[in-house]
């Protein structure tokens, strides 16, 4: 099928490349000239495992194209995905819809025959109706079109694999002809036995928010529980394991840490609170989830201060800056909160991340912050280490060497990545989250 994807962020790029890989002819459209020139030159603007090879392969075989020409991109395709950002806006923490509305306006301006408009961005319930209205307002002919909702559930760091092996595909569609076309488009997934759930448009829009909010709730619940585990000498890792074995609960997204970050959970939980308030429904649970998460991001500081009373002039090494492993994304990352706290305390910060360093350098600048190219030089001469992101490579470091190179071997493992016994045996004064 001929498909246009508007927006070349995580969602748009992975979706576009994935659909091309399934044999469709895909054009990715973006207003950002520089991004499109980069993509046309074969450069991927984000770090996402496997994405580069899928993009290169499909660019080479001519199934994947990149353009800034809205008119051409919209006219040529019968299926148009909207994959633009919906960042948090203003004091009320609602979703900023300006990019969605601008995409809808362009579709209205250039629509030339029957089209299915698929909304993949995370948008407040009822957005499809607004998109429909804006297209109609800008339309200069009577071409028919249908707006459907097909929310995206991919995770950064595993996005390409998530596209190929989704837990489910949700399609909110209220029109018979569009449903038939989309059944055909998503047939490859049906063959792979991936469940496809058809529902009405508003339910699909709600499923996306509800899923992210539920996962965020699980994490905040475990994070609060971790503080109680510390007080009562229980081990939160074993507690989550024991809970997860109950098939009604399941084992995923029960890891206590330093709080969730990224471009979705914080923003979507807040946007759902806004929707609940706007509709005069109680939003207490989700408000608590969000504030528990903000609190959790500040929990590393008291932990390191318990090991080193006065941080003034001391060097603290941070391992991991990205909001989670396998990404260079630092949006809402707990590392940002921690660096600010440490600098305020008068500490010198040395930090290392396998891929997120450049983004951190762009986001914050302190005389007392030094980003290094390897973990050993970050730890060398430091008084304490705080492990913030659970990159796999941090499991394999030579901690004996690191211990010897430190001034005082204090270690706060905020992701419970390492074995407390082993770390203590090596001479570390080791503390973690929710473990005795
Ligand atoms: C999330 C959703 O999972 C995905 O379906 C949606 O499309 C986009 O938002 P993403 O933000 O990429 O994906 O990352 P995810 O793996 O879900 O992790 C989110 C945050 O939760 C990270 O900061 C992670 O460290 C944290 N987390 C996750 C925990 O603290 N504990 C856990 O057990 C799991």
């Amino acid at each position: 099928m001929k498909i246009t994807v508007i927006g070349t962020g995580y969602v748009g790029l992975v979706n576009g490349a994935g659909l091309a890989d399934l044999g469709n002819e895909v054009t990715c459209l973006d207003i950002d000239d520089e991004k499109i020139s980069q993509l046309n030159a074969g450069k991927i603007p984000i770090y996402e495992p496997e994405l580069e090879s899928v993009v290169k392969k499909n660019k080479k075989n001519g199934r994947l194209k990149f353009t800034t020409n809205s008119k051409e991109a919209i006219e040529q395709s019968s299926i148009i995905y909207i994959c633009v950002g919906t960042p948090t806006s203003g004091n009320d923490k609602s979703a900023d819809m300006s990019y969605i509305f601008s995409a809808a306006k362009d579709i209205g301006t250039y629509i030339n025959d029957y089209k299915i408009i698929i909304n993949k961005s995370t948008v407040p319930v009822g957005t499809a109706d607004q998109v429909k209205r804006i297209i109609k307002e800008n339309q200069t002919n009577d071409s028919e079109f249908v707006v459907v909702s097909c929310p995206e559930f991919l995770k950064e760091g595993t996005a390409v694999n998530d596209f190929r092996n989704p837990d489910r595909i949700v399609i909110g569609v209220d029109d018979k002809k569009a449903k038939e076309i989309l059944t055909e488009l998503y047939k490859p997934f049906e063959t792979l036995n991936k469940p496809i759930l058809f529902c009405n448009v508003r339910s699909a829009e709600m499923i996306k928010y509800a899923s992210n909010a539920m996962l965020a709730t699980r994490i905040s619940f475990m994070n609060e529980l971790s503080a109680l585990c510390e007080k009562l000498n229980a081990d939160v890792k074993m507690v989550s394991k024991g809970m997860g074995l109950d098939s009604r609960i399941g084992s995923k997204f029960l890891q206590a840490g330093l709080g969730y970050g990224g471009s979705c959970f914080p923003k979507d939980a807040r946007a759902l609170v806004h929707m609940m308030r706007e509709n005069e429904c109680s939003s207490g649970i989700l408000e608590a989830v969000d504030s528990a998460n903000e609190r959790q991001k500040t929990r590393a500081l008291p932990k390191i201060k318990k090991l080193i009373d006065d941080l003034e002039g001391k060097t603290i090494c941070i391992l991991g800056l990205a909001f989670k492993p396998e990404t260079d994304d630092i949006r809402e990352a707990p590392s940002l909160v921690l660096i600010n706290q440490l600098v305020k305390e008068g500490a010198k910060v040395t930090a290392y991340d396998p891929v997120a360093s450049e983004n951190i350098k762009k986001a914050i600048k302190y005389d007392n912050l030094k980003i290094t190219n390897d973990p050993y030089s970050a730890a060398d001469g430091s008084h304490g280490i705080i492990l913030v992101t659970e990159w796999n490579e941090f499991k394999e470091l030579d901690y004996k060497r690191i211990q010897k190179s430190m001034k005082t071997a204090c270690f706060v493992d905020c992701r419970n990545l390492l074995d407390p016994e082993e770390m203590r045996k090596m001479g570390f004064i080791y503390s973690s989250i929710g473990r005795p």
Side-chain angles (χ1 to χ4, degrees):
M1 293 189 192
K2 274 199 146 188
I3 296 172
T4 288
V5 177
I6 306 182
T8 54
Y10 276 99
V11 173
L13 200 51
V14 174
N15 199 53
L19 287 164
D21 214 34
L22 289 176
N24 299 290
E25 263 182 68
V26 180
T27 302
C28 291
L29 170 69
D30 205 296
I31 48 169
D32 187 336
D33 278 325
E34 202 187 312
K35 221 178 193 183
I36 292 298
S37 321
Q38 267 189 22
L39 287 162
N40 273 324
K43 283 192 207 133
I44 309 293
I46 47 173
Y47 173 83
E48 184 61 44
E50 289 190 73
L51 185 57
E52 190 168 332
S53 62
V54 186
V55 169
K56 278 194 174 149
K57 177 182 143 199
N58 288 284
K59 224 171 88 55
K60 202 170 164 200
N61 64 27
R63 285 205 297 259
L64 184 61
K65 295 198 172 87
F66 299 98
T67 183
T68 52
N69 188 328
S70 309
K71 184 174 186 292
E72 263 177 41
I74 291 165
E75 281 179 354
Q76 74 190 18
S77 296
S78 52
I79 294 182
I80 299 178
Y81 281 89
I82 300 181
C83 300
V84 296
T86 51
T88 299
S89 77
N91 289 338
D92 65 3
K93 311 273 169 73
S94 59
D96 174 354
M97 300 297 289
S98 54
Y99 302 108
I100 299 273
F101 294 156
S102 149
K105 195 173 166 213
D106 284 348
I107 296 169
T109 310
Y110 301 122
I111 189 166
N112 54 339
D113 52 16
Y114 176 79
K115 294 194 195 297
I116 301 176
I117 321 300
I118 305 179
N119 204 348
K120 256 207 177 294
S121 305
T122 303
V123 288
V125 178
T127 297
D129 294 332
Q130 283 179 286
V131 167
K132 198 166 160 183
R133 178 181 49 77
I134 295 170
I135 296 177
K136 275 208 169 125
E137 279 169 7
N138 288 280
Q139 215 174 345
T140 51
N141 54 49
D142 55 5
S143 303
E144 282 182 24
F145 68 93
V146 178
V147 181
V148 312
S149 165
C150 184
E152 183 54 72
F153 300 104
L154 62 81
K155 300 182 291 304
E156 290 180 23
T158 54
V160 174
N161 187 46
D162 289 346
F163 178 88
R164 291 183 183 138
N165 296 294
D167 282 348
R168 79 306 207 182
I169 287 164
V170 173
I171 303 178
V173 52
D174 300 326
D175 175 270
K176 201 164 159 253
K177 179 175 164 192
K179 186 178 170 185
E180 277 164 18
I181 296 172
L182 293 175
T183 304
E184 197 53 38
L185 177 65
Y186 282 97
K187 215 169 203 132
F189 295 97
E190 210 184 351
T191 324
L192 290 169
N193 267 336
K194 301 294 174 192
I196 299 180
L197 176 73
F198 284 101
C199 57
N200 68 20
V201 174
R202 287 183 175 226
S203 303
E205 290 172 335
M206 183 68 94
I207 286 169
K208 172 67 198 204
Y209 278 108
S211 303
N212 274 356
M214 171 55 88
L215 294 168
T217 303
R218 283 168 73 99
I219 298 168
S220 275
F221 176 77
M222 292 313 293
N223 282 337
E224 285 209 328
L225 205 67
S226 73
L228 185 62
C229 285
E230 279 166 23
K231 299 258 176 189
L232 301 179
N233 263 345
D235 181 340
V236 77
K237 257 191 131 168
M238 295 316 291
V239 173
S240 72
K241 202 168 186 181
M243 289 165 66
L245 288 170
D246 185 327
S247 61
R248 293 170 302 176
I249 298 174
S251 61
K252 293 184 179 159
F253 283 73
L254 289 181
Q255 302 318 313
L258 203 53
Y260 57 78
S263 65
C264 293
F265 285 180
K267 158 179 91 70
D268 294 349
R270 288 170 200 153
L272 190 50
V273 165
H274 176 75
M275 260 185 275
M276 285 165 163
R277 283 194 190 148
E278 220 180 28
N279 289 285
E280 293 171 11
C281 297
S282 104
S283 55
I285 293 177
L286 264 189
E287 284 176 52
V289 165
D290 185 34
S291 50
N293 192 56
E294 291 306 298
R295 256 195 320 276
Q296 194 68 13
K297 288 184 184 174
T298 66
R299 281 194 66 210
L301 186 73
K303 282 180 177 291
I304 193 76
K305 281 179 84 172
K306 219 170 166 183
L307 309 183
I308 305 169
D309 324 323
D310 184 9
L311 291 174
E312 178 81 44
K314 304 272 171 30
T315 302
I316 302 300
C317 158
I318 297 181
L319 292 182
L321 298 163
F323 84 95
K324 68 169 199 176
E326 298 300 332
T327 179
D328 63 352
D329 197 341
I330 56 158
R331 282 175 286 180
E332 304 263 357
S335 64
L336 295 167
V337 174
L338 178 60
I339 292 171
N340 286 331
Q341 283 180 316
L342 288 169
V343 169
K344 243 193 207 150
E345 292 282 327
K348 292 180 192 145
V349 181
T350 51
Y352 167 75
D353 188 280
V355 295
S357 300
E358 288 311 310
N359 284 340
I360 284 282
K361 280 185 204 161
K362 276 184 227 151
I364 38 175
K365 285 186 179 52
Y366 285 119
D367 292 341
N368 273 351
L369 171 66
K370 188 175 149 208
I371 311 285
T372 67
N373 290 331
D374 76 285
Y376 297 102
S377 23
D380 191 18
S382 69
H383 298 82
I385 294 178
I386 306 177
L387 191 154
V388 173
T389 316
E390 67 279 31
W391 283 93
N392 259 333
E393 71 171 70
F394 296 157
K395 276 191 210 154
E396 313 297 335
L397 296 179
D398 181 349
Y399 283 107
K400 269 195 188 143
R401 172 180 162 195
I402 287 180
Q403 197 272 348
K404 281 196 192 114
S405 75
M406 294 173 74
K407 287 212 170 98
T408 53
C410 300
F411 200 109
V412 180
D413 178 356
C414 292
R415 298 289 173 182
N416 294 338
L417 185 74
L418 304 166
D419 183 332
E421 285 284 301
E422 276 179 28
M423 292 301 279
R424 285 178 192 133
K425 255 192 229 155
M426 276 187 259
F428 283 101
I429 307 164
Y430 174 89
S431 120
S432 52
I433 297 274
R435 296 198 284 183

